[in-house]
Every structure is written in C-alpha cells, then in structure tokens.
Amino acid sequence: MHAADRLFELARERALLTSAASVLGWDQETYLPLRGVAWRARQLAWLSARAHELATSREWLATLEEAEVQNDGADPVLSANLREFRHETDRATRLPVELVARASETSSLAKQAWAEARKKSDFSIFRDHLDAMVDIAREKADHWGYATEPYDALVAGYERGADTAKLSSRLDPLRDPLRELAAQAVARSAEHPVDLPDGPYPADTQRRLNREIAESVGFDFEAGRIDTVTHPFCTGLGPYDTRLTTRYRENDFTDSLFGVLHEAGHGLYDQGLPAPDFGLPAGSPISLGIHESQSRLWENHVGGSRAFWERWLPRAAALFPCLAPLGLDDFLAAVRRAEFSCIRVEADEATYDLHILLRFDLERRIMRGELAVDDIPAAWNDGFRELFGFVPPDDANGCLQDIHWAMGGFGYFATYSLGNINAAQLCAAARLDPVVSAACDKADYLPLLGWMRERVHRHGSVHFPDDLVRRATGADPSTADYLAHLKRRYL
Amino acid sequence: MHAADRLFELARERALLTSAASVLGWDQETYLPLRGVAWRARQLAWLSARAHELATSREWLATLEEAEVQNDGADPVLSANLREFRHETDRATRLPVELVARASETSSLAKQAWAEARKKSDFSIFRDHLDAMVDIAREKADHWGYATEPYDALVAGYERGADTAKLSSRLDPLRDPLRELAAQAVARSAEHPVDLPDGPYPADTQRRLNREIAESVGFDFEAGRIDTVTHPFCTGLGPYDTRLTTRYRENDFTDSLFGVLHEAGHGLYDQGLPAPDFGLPAGSPISLGIHESQSRLWENHVGGSRAFWERWLPRAAALFPCLAPLGLDDFLAAVRRAEFSCIRVEADEATYDLHILLRFDLERRIMRGELAVDDIPAAWNDGFRELFGFVPPDDANGCLQDIHWAMGGFGYFATYSLGNINAAQLCAAARLDPVVSAACDKADYLPLLGWMRERVHRHGSVHFPDDLVRRATGADPSTADYLAHLKRRYL
C-alpha cells in the first residue's frame, strides 16, 4: 500500500471518531436533558483525547512523513492533502499536553466568569481570567511559531495563508469608507424608518416558510435538517448529514429567516464538499473566511435582494396575514434598515464590519503587548466612539459582549469581515454569467448554487483562500465589490 | 489501587464509549437525515469494535482476575459486580472474532431479506437467511457453552439465571389457562363491542397529554425526553439522560398514550438505577424480564386501571372534545377490548402471551433440531390454530411478522411473558402496602414508584431476577398474581 493510502485510511478512521463527537455536540445544543450535561462533558473529553491520540500517533507521523517523501508533486489534490495534514499535525504536536489541558480548564473557568461578568456588567470579574487566556494564547503562539508577531500564529488557525500583515492590509483600508458609508446609511434609514408589523408569526409557520426557502435555494433535506436552539449554528456530522439550527421570535419572522439563510449558506458549502473525501482536507472547508463568504452570500446578497422578496413576500404574506398591507418597497426598507447598535450579533449589514474592525484592532494590540488587559474596557469605548460616534452604556454592551476571548478565540473575528468581502467578490463574478444573473433576477438560485459548487465548494481545501477566490473570480482578492455592493444597497 | 477500583475505572471508560454509540443509535432512529445512514453505520461499527477491544483487552482480563482473587466476598455489591463482569467477559471472549463478524454480516442480509419476504409474504425469500441465522445461533451457543441444551446459552444472554427448563416450567403451565381466559375475554368483548371515537386527536395535543401523564407518574424530564419515531423504544444514554420515543396516530390517542406509559416504565427503571454506578453492573438493569415488568406495570396495571382513567379521562376529554360524550365504563370497555389478532405487537393484554407461547415453543424445537427451517411456516400455523382457533391469512401475518429471528434474537421472546408475570407479582405485593394502595386508588402513583425504586430499581444487577422478585415480594416467583389479574380485568 502506498503511504498516502494508509494515511487516508487513518484520517478517515479519525473522522469517524471526530464526527461521532460532533453528533454528541449537536445533541447537547438541541436535545440533551438538563441533567445529562456532566456525563456528556466526560464523553466529549474522552472522544477528544482519543482523536488527539490518533492525530499525533507514531503511526500517523511516520505515515505522513513517508507519504511526503513518496509524493512527486504530480497530483495537486494529493499535494494539498499532504500540505494540510502537515499543517494540522504540526499544530497538534507542537502544543505540550500540559498546555492543552491547562487551556481547556482555564477556558472553562473563563467562560463561567465571562457569563457572570456580562450579566453584572462588571469587567473586574472577568479580568484575571482574560489575562490568563491572553497568556495562554501567547504561549500557544510561541509553540506554533510565527514569522513576524505572535498574532500571526493565532490567525493561521482560522485562515490559511493569512497573517497579521495581510489581514491589516485588507481590513485597515476599509475603516474610513465603511465608517462614512455606515453613517450615511444610518442617517438615511432614520429619515424614513419602516417597522415590520410585530406579528403574530407563529413558530410552526416560520418553520414551514424557512424550510420552503431553504429547499428552494438548494439545501438537501435528505442530507440535512433544521432544529431549534438558543444560539444558532451549522454543523456537518458526516457526508450527507448537515444540521442547521435556528431560533424563533414570535414577533419577528425575519430574525429566524435570515438566520436560516445564513446557516443554510454554511450548509450548502458543506453539502457541496466532495463526500468521498470526508475526513480528508480535499473534502473539508479551507477556512472560516471562505465558509463565512457562503453564509453571507445567501443571507445578504440573496436574502437581502429585491428579486428574492418579489418572490417570497407574497408567500410570507399568505402565511402571516399581518404582512398583507405591506408593499415591497416598505418591506425592503424595513429589512435593510441601518442602525448603529452596541451588539455585534444584532448589527445590520451596513454597520457589521465596524464591530469587527474594532475587535481586530484591539486583538492585534493586545497580542503585541501594546494594550494591557486592564485597559481593554477604556480602549474598547474609545475605539467604539471613533467608529460609531457614541460610547456603549456599559461593558456588558461593550467589551464583555462576545464569548470568543473567554474561549481563547483570538484571531477569529477578522474572518467575519473576510467572509463579507469574499461573498461580494464571488457574487459579483457569478453574476457576470448571464444564466446565473437572469435566474437570480427571477429568484431562481440554483444556477448561482451551481456556480459556487463548481468554483468554490468542490475544491475543499485544495486551494488557499486567496487562490480560490482568484481562480473563481479571475481577479485578485479585493474589497472593491464589497464596497460597491454596500453603496448600491444603502446609498 | 485495588484491582476492583481499576476495574471500575476501565468499565466506566468503556461506558463513555458505549453510551456515545447509544447517542448515535438514538439519533439514527429520531433525527438522522436519510442519506446519512451509511456513514452512521461506519461510525457505529467503529465504536462497537473499540468497545469490544476494551471489553476483552489484556488489561481488562488481568484486572478482572486480580479483583476476583482479592475479593473476600464480604461486600455483596462488589461480588455482584465481579460476577456480572465475569459473565459478560466470558461471553464476549468466547466468541471468535470471525464468528462475530460473520453473524453481523449474515444478520444484515437476513434483515433485508426478511423485510422483502414479509412485504411479499414469501417465506422462500427468507428461508436460506433464517437457516444461516439458526446455524449461527447454534455455533454461538456451542462457544458460550450450556448445561443441557444449546437454547440455554441463548436464553442466558437475555435473562440472568434462566435456562430452557426454567422458562418451560414457568410458561408451559400458562398455556391452558391463558387460552381459555383469552377465548372468554374475546367472547365477552364481542358481546358489547365499544369503539372510541376516531378523533381528531392532533399529534401536538397528544404530545401534551402524554407529557403530563409521564410527569405525573414520576418521569423526570430534566433527565429525559420524548421524541417521535417509527418504532418506539426507550434508551439510556447516560446517567440522567433517558430517552423515550413514541409515534402518533391521529385517529387513536390511546396508541401513543399506552406506548408512552410502556416506555416510561422502562425509563423509570432506568432513572431509578444508581447513577454513580452507571457503567457498572450495580448501576445496570439485571434482565429483560425485569425491565419488561416495569414497562408492563405502568402500561397495564396503572394505565389499564379504573382509577387512572377516573383521573385522566376528564383531562383527555378536555383536550379531545370528541371524547366528551363517553362515560368511564364505555371508555374502559374500549381500551380493555380483547380481540384475537395475528400480529403480536398489536395484541391486547388478554391475548398477548399466546403469541409468546407460540414463539417460545417453536424456538425451543428449532434449537433442539426438532423443527427444520422449511417446516416453520406450517408449524407456526398449526401452533397458532391451537392457541387462537384460526390460521393467519398468510406468512406476513404469521411466521414473518417479527424481525427478531433475522437479528439472531433467539431466546428473547420469553422475556416478554416474564415481564407480564413479574409485573403482576410486583404490583400485587406493592398494593399490600396500604399507603401505596390508597394512593393508587386516587391515581397518585408516586408511592408505587417509590416502592419500585426501593425494591427493584436501586438494586441494579446485584440480585438475579428470581431473587430480586423474592426479596421484593416476599414470595417465590409465581404466575398466580398474573392469572388473577387477568381474570379480574377480563372475566
């Protein structure tokens, strides 16, 4: 047997285990009884320890090395698989077991403290925990290694081919135009504010509409499903098993609907990955920035479009009679309403990236040692004022709002903006295809999905994100399409 | 560390793995998307291979032996744990790996063939597969070993302390009295047949009533839940995580309600096992015959009683207005209606055991080599005629109706009747307690549950079934209470 074949066998075996853990994780968010949590935590810890053993076993390491030696570079997919396995393996083996255990324990305590701190809006409760998480992030970065600064090593865990300098060069120039655009969009919305009727929107009827829409954009319900949770997400539990989740507000059906379009975007990418390569890089998403490009594509470029609602508003009004008096223009003005808000996860498309730019800037400074943990609340408020023109009323609405730092997720936030940027560039390129464009204008999105399948999904992790975008669109990654899209939509 | 401590540690580790597999199995029956089945099968095969490795590892075997040597017999719980570990370990290690794999593969094909054969009512499609499953069952019996006949070794896998002779001595004497009782009950029902109104019984309203009733009998929804499936079951996924399932017929709410009481009976036993001993015999059910005693207790002795419906019929009629005109006597006559039918799973309490006696007799003869596979359809029909007075219209309604033989489940059926017998004896003994009895008469079942918790559930696998019944009731196991119960209810 060639070493690569054995390597793939081992990787698929590991995928059986990690995907089993994903089922348990999904169940924990959806259906696990309250008192079952402690045992579930033990199950997941056990499975994750076994997965780590497999990912760092002597046989795995030796087989990977042998496959690398045997590889003549002729097969780009094989080379990409080996490249990604090497990346993952190095990251897994470079962290001492002691550090992994300490990080996990520190993070558990940090999450608890963060929840309490946010509830009481008292940064002092979280302060020491955040300090410990920052130290751990730096330690990890030192073990992983980096070319220029520790933050590079953290970013590399979420976005292949990216580092601090590249993210800075992509995001920093957005600062002024986005600030200006957001301010104008907010001012325009304030001139003619439109509210949607506040219901009733029964959850069961929302569920029905969401399902019709998810089906119409191509989500395969024979290979996936939608369940109800507190914090929506999308997770792939195996080839042909993609689970979306949502929640329902009975006074606002658009919250769940846009949420489902967002998660369905993640799910469509998942369903478009080559199923036979499940467990191999060639069958896995390449990065969070690409994953988020697919969710934002369906949420914003599709779900925010006039053509989409020309088709779906009549259906929604048939299901929710309170919508009947509303014209399409007013409906669009309502769902596209731009407003400054303190909370990132509630932000609209026009103001969302300002939240990311703030966090990216703070993280970069924290990791460079330029910003002490004690100074974060003040720095948050200063940065927020510069971008939004006002200061959050308290830290719960400021630096305590996101769980990411309590989880040690430094380097993650920027991928949200990369997703927005990539979504716009991919969508603009796809619409240059007259078939895709004509279909989109009639709210038929299967040609658009076909384009994404062909140019993005089916490649898995073969190409780095920038290269994938370049191959798909024929142009270097750029923020031009994104700014143009926001201007068209909001100004 | 004492060997027993290390042994328990290993057993609990194995329980993490086997209970993770149970989560995946539950998900497969409840929520798994259609196309996710193939990957799920691979996940479960992998997990089950790992569990088998742990259950037969050198460390496990050596630690068990050492613990047995160290055991001075002073602690009955420790001794029972070791006794049951030895039983499981011997059974697991005595089967050659080749046979386990062949049995699994043969059974997969047999189940497919059985489904087709039943659909077409054509025994010839199943014949060779059944023959192979019988051979495999005999092979397994030879490996496991037995005192008198191969069937003993199969029975021992489901019912601790039982063998063919003991089952025969318990079940054979039921034959004539049950046949007579069933005939009389059916005749009486036919004199004054009462039908329930056929709805509407909306599934959501059934779900609500089922949950109220399950809660009222003591099922803990913080440590369990009810979901919807095609073939209802109850499964324990961990301490404090017991999952019931049911299905809904919109024209008959009693089907789901009695199903939920049955599964809740299993679930209450599960929730009553000592949680800290999860994964050890002391925290596990002792046998199918005891498990089934708990499900039949709640389904028939509680759910079939007048006091139960004095409390719950008004509530049901409030939820389902079509029931309002119905008096309690007519309602009871309808739910206690006795009818001969061909299908075991649809049989009422008065006729159920006749189905079991038939299968027990055939299995015993098959395993003794007295009945050839080719002769099973005719033997089934002959036996059926003797018990029921008529012959099934075809093999789909005859020897092809149950999946058990395709799964290799020879020796399983008798435990259904043991469950009925034990339920009656336990219930009669519990009602000798005046507090339990008075509460039951007011449809307050928490004292009855408390009695079962104390006398049955909390003992896990410490006592063998007969001994457990003896200790709980103060009398040797007997069918007297069961026959008395059926006579009271039906004659």
Side-chain angles (χ1 to χ4, degrees):
Chain A
M1 193 188 277
H2 280 95
D5 293 330
R6 176 65 188 144
L7 193 73
F8 292 176
E9 218 173 65
L10 291 169
R12 288 195 175 95
E13 184 182 337
R14 179 150 48 92
L16 289 171
L17 178 63
T18 54
S19 62
S22 298
V23 177
L24 269 65
W26 171 87
D27 180 74
Q28 178 163 359
E29 299 300 319
T30 51
Y31 296 117
L32 182 71
L34 195 64
R35 299 175 67 200
V37 172
W39 184 257
R40 180 57 46 87
R42 291 183 57 187
Q43 290 175 311
L44 286 171
W46 191 85
L47 289 168
S48 114
R50 295 295 83 68
H52 183 77
E53 277 171 17
L54 290 176
T56 56
S57 71
R58 274 191 208 180
E59 182 181 12
W60 172 260
L61 297 175
T63 313
L64 176 56
E65 268 177 42
E66 201 184 332
E68 286 169 333
V69 169
Q70 286 175 1
N71 181 32
D72 60 8
D75 176 355
V77 175
L78 173 60
S79 297
N81 274 324
L82 297 182
R83 180 198 72 213
E84 294 303 303
F85 278 140
R86 171 55 60 196
H87 173 71
E88 291 164 14
T89 303
D90 284 350
R91 284 181 76 89
T93 51
R94 281 177 190 164
L95 293 190
V97 174
E98 175 278 323
L99 175 55
V100 173
R102 183 156 46 89
S104 163
E105 203 185 324
T106 308
S107 171
S108 288
L109 297 173
K111 281 188 277 187
Q112 277 186 345
W114 165 78
E116 193 194 340
R118 188 175 67 156
K119 201 171 165 192
K120 300 184 177 163
S121 194
D122 181 352
F123 182 76
S124 72
I125 296 170
F126 186 44
R127 191 239 164 256
D128 289 350
H129 297 275
L130 179 54
D131 204 41
M133 291 310 297
V134 168
D135 283 347
I136 283 174
R138 278 215 198 84
E139 266 189 83
K140 284 186 174 178
D142 287 342
H143 285 287
W144 282 324
Y146 47 84
T148 308
E149 52 185 303
Y151 196 49
D152 294 344
L154 305 175
V155 166
Y158 304 110
E159 195 63 24
R160 294 288 282 133
D163 58 17
T164 317
K166 183 181 262 185
L167 288 182
S168 301
S169 74
R170 197 75 55 87
L171 299 191
D172 290 349
L174 281 177
R175 191 177 172 84
D176 290 335
L178 281 182
R179 190 167 54 168
E180 196 181 323
L181 187 145
Q184 287 184 44
V186 168
R188 283 177 71 126
S189 284
E191 281 170 31
H192 305 289
V194 183
D195 283 316
L196 291 183
D198 61 0
Y201 305 103
D204 274 350
T205 318
Q206 290 190 48
R207 193 174 288 123
R208 187 168 156 194
L209 179 62
N210 287 349
R211 189 179 163 110
E212 287 178 21
I213 289 175
E215 269 178 339
S216 88
V217 301
F219 186 76
D220 179 357
F221 279 91
E222 291 197 348
R225 47 180 295 119
I226 306 182
D227 295 273
T228 307
V229 295
T230 312
H231 300 291
F233 60 93
C234 168
T235 180
L237 305 186
Y240 309 114
D241 187 2
T242 301
R243 314 260 177 130
L244 317 182
T245 60
T246 189
R247 62 185 165 196
Y248 300 98
R249 292 188 184 164
E250 301 245 333
N251 64 349
D252 178 6
F253 82 105
T254 64
D255 185 58
S256 184
L257 191 151
F258 284 109
V260 163
L261 276 171
H262 181 98
E263 302 307 339
H266 285 304
L268 289 168
Y269 182 17
D270 197 71
Q271 291 187 335
L273 294 165
D277 293 328
F278 187 85
L280 309 183
S284 307
I286 178 65
S287 80
L288 293 188
I290 295 298
H291 229 312
E292 190 75 3
S293 81
Q294 299 303 294
S295 59
R296 298 296 267 182
L297 173 77
W298 296 96
E299 178 188 4
N300 291 333
H301 293 267
V302 170
S305 72
R306 169 173 283 269
F308 181 86
W309 286 107
E310 272 172 357
R311 172 171 174 189
W312 287 104
L313 183 57
R315 177 65 185 143
L319 292 169
F320 308 117
C322 64
L323 293 173
L326 211 69
L328 179 60
D329 285 324
D330 277 347
F331 182 83
L332 286 175
V335 298
R336 291 174 176 177
R337 185 164 170 174
E339 277 181 306
F340 284 132
S341 66
C342 296
I343 303 296
R344 176 184 61 84
V345 295
E346 293 167 6
D348 50 66
E349 202 184 353
T351 60
Y352 188 87
D353 293 290
L354 300 183
H355 294 272
I356 301 307
L357 295 178
L358 171 65
R359 287 156 179 74
F360 173 62
D361 186 53
L362 295 176
E363 283 192 358
R364 193 169 44 178
R365 287 159 59 197
I366 293 168
M367 284 304 145
R368 282 176 182 163
E370 298 168 3
L371 175 59
V373 165
D374 282 324
D375 299 329
I376 288 176
W380 182 288
N381 290 345
D382 289 346
F384 197 90
R385 188 190 300 106
E386 276 176 39
L387 290 162
F388 293 81
F390 68 105
V391 168
D394 53 29
D395 289 340
N397 286 283
C399 66
L400 289 173
Q401 69 182 266
D402 286 310
I403 196 176
H404 298 58
W405 291 343
M407 297 169 66
F410 299 94
Y412 186 115
F413 281 116
T415 65
Y416 289 121
S417 284
L418 292 182
N420 288 331
I421 296 165
N422 291 330
Q425 185 167 348
L426 290 166
C427 189
R431 295 203 55 148
L432 293 178
D433 179 326
V435 174
V436 171
S437 191
C440 283
D441 289 342
K442 285 182 275 181
D444 166 12
Y445 299 104
L446 297 183
L448 177 64
L449 176 60
W451 194 96
M452 294 297 157
R453 286 266 145 92
E454 173 64 21
R455 312 261 186 140
V456 179
H457 305 175
R458 76 179 176 88
H459 299 290
S461 290
V462 172
H463 311 301
F464 270 18
D466 283 359
D467 196 25
L468 184 70
V469 169
R470 205 174 284 118
R471 287 162 177 265
T473 66
D476 282 339
S478 143
T479 58
D481 289 321
Y482 183 45
L483 288 171
H485 159 74
L486 289 177
K487 275 180 195 153
R488 260 198 317 277
R489 180 155 289 177
Y490 285 98
L491 302 184
Chain B
M1 195 188 279
H2 281 96
D5 293 330
R6 175 65 187 145
L7 193 73
F8 293 177
E9 217 173 66
L10 292 170
R12 288 195 175 95
E13 184 181 338
R14 179 149 49 92
L16 289 170
L17 178 62
T18 53
S19 63
S22 297
V23 177
L24 269 64
W26 171 87
D27 180 75
Q28 178 163 0
E29 299 300 319
T30 50
Y31 296 116
L32 183 70
L34 194 64
R35 300 174 67 198
V37 172
W39 184 256
R40 180 57 46 86
R42 291 183 58 186
Q43 289 175 313
L44 286 171
W46 190 85
L47 289 168
S48 113
R50 295 297 81 67
H52 182 77
E53 278 171 16
L54 290 177
T56 57
S57 70
R58 274 190 208 182
E59 182 180 12
W60 173 259
L61 297 175
T63 312
L64 176 55
E65 270 176 42
E66 201 184 331
E68 286 169 333
V69 170
Q70 287 175 1
N71 181 30
D72 60 8
D75 177 355
V77 176
L78 172 61
S79 296
N81 275 324
L82 297 182
R83 179 198 74 214
E84 295 302 303
F85 278 140
R86 170 55 62 198
H87 173 72
E88 291 164 15
T89 303
D90 285 350
R91 283 180 77 89
T93 51
R94 280 176 190 166
L95 293 190
V97 174
E98 175 278 324
L99 175 55
V100 172
R102 183 155 46 87
S104 161
E105 202 184 327
T106 308
S107 172
S108 288
L109 297 172
K111 280 187 277 186
Q112 276 186 345
W114 165 78
E116 194 195 339
R118 188 175 67 154
K119 201 171 165 192
K120 299 184 179 164
S121 195
D122 181 352
F123 183 75
S124 71
I125 296 169
F126 186 44
R127 192 243 163 250
D128 289 350
H129 297 275
L130 180 54
D131 204 40
M133 291 310 298
V134 168
D135 284 347
I136 282 174
R138 278 216 199 81
E139 267 189 81
K140 284 186 174 178
D142 287 341
H143 286 288
W144 281 325
Y146 48 84
T148 309
E149 52 185 304
Y151 196 51
D152 294 345
L154 304 175
V155 167
Y158 304 111
E159 195 63 26
R160 293 290 280 133
D163 59 18
T164 317
K166 182 178 264 186
L167 288 182
S168 301
S169 73
R170 198 73 56 86
L171 299 191
D172 290 348
L174 282 177
R175 192 178 173 84
D176 290 335
L178 281 184
R179 191 168 51 168
E180 196 181 322
L181 188 145
Q184 287 184 43
V186 168
R188 284 177 70 125
S189 283
E191 280 169 32
H192 304 288
V194 183
D195 284 318
L196 291 183
D198 62 359
Y201 305 104
D204 273 350
T205 318
Q206 291 190 48
R207 193 173 290 123
R208 189 169 154 193
L209 179 62
N210 288 347
R211 189 180 163 110
E212 286 178 22
I213 289 176
E215 269 178 341
S216 88
V217 300
F219 186 77
D220 179 358
F221 279 92
E222 290 197 347
R225 45 181 298 116
I226 306 182
D227 295 274
T228 308
V229 296
T230 312
H231 302 289
F233 60 94
C234 167
T235 180
L237 305 185
Y240 310 115
D241 186 3
T242 301
R243 313 259 177 131
L244 317 181
T245 61
T246 189
R247 62 184 164 198
Y248 300 98
R249 292 188 184 164
E250 301 246 333
N251 63 350
D252 179 6
F253 82 104
T254 64
D255 185 59
S256 184
L257 190 151
F258 284 110
V260 163
L261 275 171
H262 181 96
E263 302 307 339
H266 286 303
L268 288 168
Y269 183 17
D270 196 71
Q271 291 187 336
L273 294 165
D277 293 328
F278 188 85
L280 309 183
S284 307
I286 179 65
S287 81
L288 293 187
I290 295 298
H291 230 312
E292 190 76 3
S293 80
Q294 298 304 294
S295 59
R296 299 295 268 182
L297 172 77
W298 296 96
E299 178 189 3
N300 292 334
H301 294 266
V302 169
S305 72
R306 170 173 284 268
F308 181 85
W309 287 107
E310 272 171 357
R311 171 169 175 190
W312 287 104
L313 183 57
R315 177 65 185 143
L319 292 169
F320 307 118
C322 64
L323 293 173
L326 211 67
L328 179 60
D329 286 324
D330 278 348
F331 182 83
L332 285 175
V335 298
R336 291 173 175 178
R337 185 165 173 174
E339 276 181 307
F340 284 133
S341 66
C342 297
I343 302 297
R344 174 184 62 84
V345 296
E346 293 167 5
D348 50 66
E349 202 183 353
T351 60
Y352 188 89
D353 293 291
L354 300 183
H355 293 273
I356 301 305
L357 295 178
L358 171 65
R359 286 155 180 74
F360 174 62
D361 186 54
L362 294 176
E363 283 193 358
R364 193 169 44 179
R365 286 159 59 197
I366 292 167
M367 284 303 146
R368 283 177 182 163
E370 297 167 4
L371 176 59
V373 165
D374 282 323
D375 300 328
I376 287 176
W380 183 287
N381 290 345
D382 289 345
F384 196 90
R385 188 190 301 106
E386 277 175 39
L387 290 162
F388 293 83
F390 68 103
V391 168
D394 53 27
D395 289 340
N397 285 284
C399 66
L400 290 173
Q401 69 182 263
D402 285 311
I403 196 175
H404 297 57
W405 291 343
M407 295 168 66
F410 299 95
Y412 187 114
F413 282 116
T415 65
Y416 289 121
S417 283
L418 292 182
N420 288 332
I421 296 165
N422 292 331
Q425 183 165 349
L426 290 166
C427 189
R431 295 204 55 148
L432 292 178
D433 180 324
V435 175
V436 170
S437 191
C440 284
D441 289 341
K442 286 182 275 181
D444 166 12
Y445 299 104
L446 297 183
L448 177 63
L449 175 60
W451 194 96
M452 295 296 158
R453 286 267 146 93
E454 174 64 22
R455 312 262 186 139
V456 179
H457 304 174
R458 76 178 177 89
H459 298 289
S461 289
V462 171
H463 310 301
F464 271 16
D466 283 359
D467 195 26
L468 185 68
V469 169
R470 204 173 286 118
R471 286 163 176 265
T473 67
D476 283 338
S478 144
T479 59
D481 289 321
Y482 184 44
L483 288 171
H485 159 74
L486 289 178
K487 275 181 198 152
R488 260 199 318 277
R489 180 155 290 177
Y490 283 100
L491 303 184

